[in-house]
Amino acid sequence: FNKIPKASARLKPNALPRPISWSLEKVLQLASSIDNDSALLKDLTQKSIFLTAMASGARISEIVALSRDENHIRFLDSGEVELYPVSSFLAKNELPTDRWGPWKIIPLDIEPSLCPVRCLKAYLSKSKTFGGGQLFRGETTGSNLTPTQLRSKLVYFIKRADPDSIPKGHDPRKVAASLHFCQNMSFDSIKSYTGWKSSGVFYKHYLKQLNEVKHYVVAAGSVIRPTAPGLPPS
């Protein structure tokens, strides 16, 4: 009886972990080319979603739950921005008796075109006619986005930069966590952004081999310097 679960699993084993199929450098080049002031709302929405996903290392569901209401978003004197989800939202591994603090997105002054805070400010200004409610909205009518719709925008932006790739909505979380770890070599430093209690999940499912990145970028709460090829180390 003890061998039955393993024997059953062997009939249909899980797929092998795959490397990230898209080039972060290509996506950053595209994001950098989109001017926050003159961009169409569609382009600015996609850019802001991508930079926010990278900067926070958040899941799609967590980004969907963010709000643009006055008591849910705070631009601090330090240049950072605090983002609060709607009070009824619980993250996948968040306890109702032990709530998380807000996402804190740090600025990227050294590379303004890729600064998630500047991009978010520009996006909010350009979409101010939508009023309050969900942070990221549909560009045409300002309708609320479902997780599937927001994921589609994120994936479309990545594929637009790297057409031959097959991106997944969860990829930016993996890339952000891997970059953060390789920069700081500390799992403890990313736990507050991911909610992981154990490093096992990170090492097994999230730590990825990445190509060279020539731009600065904010990833899971840390400013990442341009990297050399072949990161992370095996």
Side-chain angles (χ1 to χ4, degrees), residues 105-120:
I105 308 298
I106 62 176
L108 188 64
D109 295 331
I110 196 169
E111 196 130 20
S113 63
L114 293 175
C115 176
V117 179
R118 293 185 187 215
C119 186
L120 185 58

Side-chain angles (χ1 to χ4, degrees), residues 49-104:
I49 289 174
F50 176 78
L51 292 182
T52 300
M54 286 291 299
S56 63
R59 296 182 178 87
I60 295 294
S61 59
E62 293 164 354
I63 299 175
V64 169
L66 295 176
S67 172
R68 61 173 60 203
D69 290 340
E70 185 177 356
N71 58 339
H72 285 80
I73 184 167
R74 295 177 59 218
F75 290 96
L76 308 179
D77 294 337
S78 62
E80 300 168 319
V81 59
E82 290 182 341
L83 302 174
Y84 295 79
V86 293
S87 58
S88 59
F89 173 78
L90 281 177
K92 181 178 179 180
N93 47 355
E94 181 182 10
L95 298 175
T97 56
D98 185 16
R99 302 301 302 273
W100 294 355
W103 294 111
K104 183 172 286 187

Side-chain angles (χ1 to χ4, degrees), residues 31-52:
S32 181
S33 70
I34 297 174
D35 179 69
N36 293 338
D37 297 325
S38 59
L40 297 174
L41 181 56
K42 176 182 178 181
D43 294 332
L44 193 58
T45 301
Q46 294 173 7
K47 175 182 176 179
S48 190
I49 289 174
F50 176 78
L51 292 182
T52 300

Side-chain angles (χ1 to χ4, degrees), residues 1-232:
F1 282 103
N2 291 337
K3 295 180 180 179
I4 288 176
K6 184 175 182 179
S8 299
R10 292 186 63 173
L11 296 176
K12 192 175 181 181
N14 291 336
L16 292 172
R18 295 182 178 274
I20 299 298
S21 68
W22 47 275
S23 166
L24 175 60
E25 176 59 25
K26 289 182 179 179
V27 182
L28 293 179
Q29 286 177 353
L30 172 61
S32 181
S33 70
I34 297 174
D35 179 69
N36 293 338
D37 297 325
S38 59
L40 297 174
L41 181 56
K42 176 182 178 181
D43 294 332
L44 193 58
T45 301
Q46 294 173 7
K47 175 182 176 179
S48 190
I49 289 174
F50 176 78
L51 292 182
T52 300
M54 286 291 299
S56 63
R59 296 182 178 87
I60 295 294
S61 59
E62 293 164 354
I63 299 175
V64 169
L66 295 176
S67 172
R68 61 173 60 203
D69 290 340
E70 185 177 356
N71 58 339
H72 285 80
I73 184 167
R74 295 177 59 218
F75 290 96
L76 308 179
D77 294 337
S78 62
E80 300 168 319
V81 59
E82 290 182 341
L83 302 174
Y84 295 79
V86 293
S87 58
S88 59
F89 173 78
L90 281 177
K92 181 178 179 180
N93 47 355
E94 181 182 10
L95 298 175
T97 56
D98 185 16
R99 302 301 302 273
W100 294 355
W103 294 111
K104 183 172 286 187
I105 308 298
I106 62 176
L108 188 64
D109 295 331
I110 196 169
E111 196 130 20
S113 63
L114 293 175
C115 176
V117 179
R118 293 185 187 215
C119 186
L120 185 58
K121 283 183 176 179
Y123 169 72
L124 288 171
S125 176
K126 190 158 290 191
S127 63
K128 61 184 178 182
T129 56
F130 296 160
Q134 192 181 57
L135 177 58
F136 294 111
R137 310 277 276 278
E139 304 90 11
T140 305
T141 62
S143 58
N144 288 335
L145 297 176
T146 65
T148 299
Q149 290 171 328
L150 191 140
R151 182 183 296 107
S152 295
K153 292 182 181 299
L154 183 59
V155 168
Y156 176 83
F157 187 73
I158 296 172
K159 197 166 181 62
R160 178 178 161 189
D162 194 350
D164 295 329
S165 67
I166 307 176
K168 305 292 184 182
H170 212 52
D171 284 353
R173 178 172 167 87
K174 297 178 181 180
V175 171
S178 296
L179 285 175
H180 184 121
F181 179 77
C182 292
Q183 185 85 73
N184 302 287
M185 296 308 292
S186 170
F187 173 74
D188 289 340
S189 67
I190 62 174
K191 285 198 301 185
S192 61
Y193 284 87
T194 60
W196 297 321
K197 300 296 189 297
S198 167
S199 59
V201 173
F202 168 65
Y203 290 126
K204 184 176 181 180
H205 300 289
Y206 285 84
L207 186 60
K208 297 295 181 180
Q209 190 88 6
L210 302 175
N211 295 324
E212 181 180 7
V213 179
K214 299 178 182 178
H215 290 81
Y216 284 86
V217 64
V218 180
S222 182
V223 173
I224 306 301
R225 300 184 299 272
T227 60
L231 290 180

